[in-house]
Amino acid sequence: MKFYLVFSLFLASCLHAQFRIENAEFTMKTSSYKAENFDTSLYNVYYKVEYIPDVAQREKRKDAICILEIGKGYSKFADVKQLKLDSLNEKYSHQKEVNVKEMEGLLNINVGFKPIILKDLSKKKITYQARIKDGYQYQEDQPEFKWKIQKDTKSILGNICRKATMNFRGRDYIAWFTEAISSNNGPYKFEGLPGLILELSDTKGDYHFLAIGIDKKNLPIYLRNEERILKVSRDKYNEVEKTYHDNPGFFHGKPYNADGTPMVIKSKPIPYNPIELE
């Protein structure tokens, strides 16, 4: 399956305020975007994701609704707003250009949880995509989680769940899984228990995933594959992400002095609290 992106969201976001006030008749040409369809979901699990972007302001939490699509050979975890954004992009891709109203509709979709996780369930491979300024992608082997199953139980969505704990890349986690659903999958990259993970959080409370619904809609499990997505290693991606948060202005081009020499400008850092600390 192929989809096509409407336009560069970064450019449009820079011009958004002017569209509404000064350019009521403004239009922009569409640009291409491609994606590959890997599978169709047999059922979908919806999670409320709460996270703390700035550890210095722990009271300021953010949240998003994400979906885990589980198929026969693949699964995908992403913000549901990302699916909505893709749907609009596909719709508008059949047009030669988009108008102000259509662009504003796209810009008003704020994707809260950025990572997109595609799992190849048979090959035990993960493809990770996220957008910093540009789109990035890396692949890795599915991590092996060393879970310790506890005796504690509780009910989530009417399912009896058992407790499990483990450490993953710098954080200690508590998970609640149900054997009533045979899939050993879970939110984000997590999996490996004898049942579906319905709740998971790190012990510091920085990230919390809680299942809030399950359905059996058949949804396409797809992933962007446009050529301009930068394919890097996991280490390189983490380096770029950290650099962006330290100095985001560096990624948006260098301003120049009147004599043509580049200005040295240090932009304000963006709080950085990634789910993977190592």
Side-chain angles (χ1 to χ4, degrees), residues 116-128:
I116 299 170
I117 309 296
L118 179 76
K119 295 179 183 176
D120 185 325
L121 303 178
S122 60
K123 294 182 179 180
K124 292 292 184 180
K125 297 284 186 181
I126 282 179
T127 302
Y128 178 107

Side-chain angles (χ1 to χ4, degrees), residues 3-6 9 33 46 65-67 69 76 78-93 101-113 116 219-220 222 224:
F3 299 102
Y4 300 89
L5 183 63
V6 179
L9 289 180
Y33 169 98
Y46 299 85
I65 302 300
C66 291
I67 180 173
E69 303 170 273
K76 177 182 173 182
D79 192 317
V80 295
K81 289 185 179 180
Q82 183 64 58
L83 304 187
K84 183 177 181 180
L85 185 62
D86 290 343
S87 178
L88 285 178
N89 285 331
E90 192 278 331
K91 175 183 176 181
Y92 296 150
S93 69
K101 182 178 180 180
E102 291 165 338
M103 286 185 286
E104 287 183 349
L106 287 162
L107 291 168
N108 286 332
I109 300 175
N110 181 25
V111 178
F113 191 76
I116 299 170
L219 301 176
Y222 65 90
R224 295 166 51 173

Side-chain angles (χ1 to χ4, degrees), residues 3-251:
F3 299 102
Y4 300 89
L5 183 63
V6 179
F7 57 89
S8 167
L9 289 180
F10 173 71
L11 176 60
S13 64
C14 292
L15 302 174
H16 183 207
Q18 293 183 2
F19 288 158
R20 299 188 62 183
I21 300 172
E22 301 174 8
N23 297 290
E25 302 301 323
F26 186 91
T27 61
M28 180 177 282
K29 292 183 179 180
T30 61
S31 59
S32 63
Y33 169 98
K34 298 179 180 179
E36 180 179 357
N37 190 31
F38 290 88
D39 204 347
T40 300
S41 65
L42 300 175
Y43 59 98
N44 313 290
V45 188
Y46 299 85
Y47 294 85
K48 181 178 181 180
V49 182
E50 295 182 300
Y51 57 99
I52 296 174
D54 186 357
V55 294
Q57 302 184 69
R58 303 191 66 84
E59 72 283 358
K60 294 185 178 180
R61 305 180 67 88
K62 291 190 175 182
D63 61 73
I65 302 300
C66 291
I67 180 173
L68 173 63
E69 303 170 273
I70 303 175
K72 289 183 178 180
Y74 291 84
S75 71
K76 177 182 173 182
F77 186 80
D79 192 317
V80 295
K81 289 185 179 180
Q82 183 64 58
L83 304 187
K84 183 177 181 180
L85 185 62
D86 290 343
S87 178
L88 285 178
N89 285 331
E90 192 278 331
K91 175 183 176 181
Y92 296 150
S93 69
H94 303 290
Q95 306 171 189
K96 292 183 178 180
E97 57 187 23
V98 289
N99 59 35
V100 174
K101 182 178 180 180
E102 291 165 338
M103 286 185 286
E104 287 183 349
L106 287 162
L107 291 168
N108 286 332
I109 300 175
N110 181 25
V111 178
F113 191 76
K114 306 298 184 182
I116 299 170
I117 309 296
L118 179 76
K119 295 179 183 176
D120 185 325
L121 303 178
S122 60
K123 294 182 179 180
K124 292 292 184 180
K125 297 284 186 181
I126 282 179
T127 302
Y128 178 107
Q129 283 189 352
R131 189 172 186 84
I132 301 177
K133 175 182 176 291
D134 300 303
Y136 285 83
Q137 173 179 306
Y138 69 79
Q139 292 185 319
E140 66 172 331
D141 293 335
Q142 172 64 55
E144 293 186 12
F145 301 103
K146 298 181 179 180
W147 294 103
K148 295 179 180 179
I149 298 177
Q150 313 293 328
K151 294 182 180 180
D152 310 62
T153 63
K154 72 175 181 178
S155 178
I156 301 174
L157 295 178
N159 298 289
I160 298 300
C161 297
R162 299 176 65 189
K163 183 180 180 180
T165 60
M166 63 92 191
N167 178 276
F168 177 60
R169 293 176 178 169
R171 294 185 186 273
D172 293 318
Y173 287 94
I174 297 173
W176 296 89
F177 69 97
T178 178
E179 295 175 286
I181 302 175
S182 59
S183 172
N184 72 345
N185 219 315
Y188 190 64
K189 298 179 181 180
F190 300 101
E191 63 165 41
L193 284 164
L196 180 67
I197 299 172
L198 293 183
E199 184 176 4
L200 181 138
S201 62
D202 71 291
T203 55
K204 292 183 178 180
D206 288 1
Y207 286 86
H208 180 225
F209 303 81
L210 176 64
I212 58 174
I214 301 174
D215 68 34
K216 294 185 177 180
K217 294 178 181 179
N218 298 131
L219 301 176
I221 298 176
Y222 65 90
L223 195 66
R224 295 166 51 173
N225 64 352
E226 56 192 314
E227 291 184 0
R228 62 177 174 266
I229 291 177
L230 301 173
K231 296 177 174 61
V232 297
S233 67
R234 177 177 172 271
D235 287 343
K236 183 63 177 178
Y237 172 81
N238 289 340
E239 178 186 334
V240 172
E241 184 181 48
K242 180 64 166 60
T243 301
Y244 176 78
H245 281 78
D246 287 344
N247 187 14
F250 176 80
F251 285 72

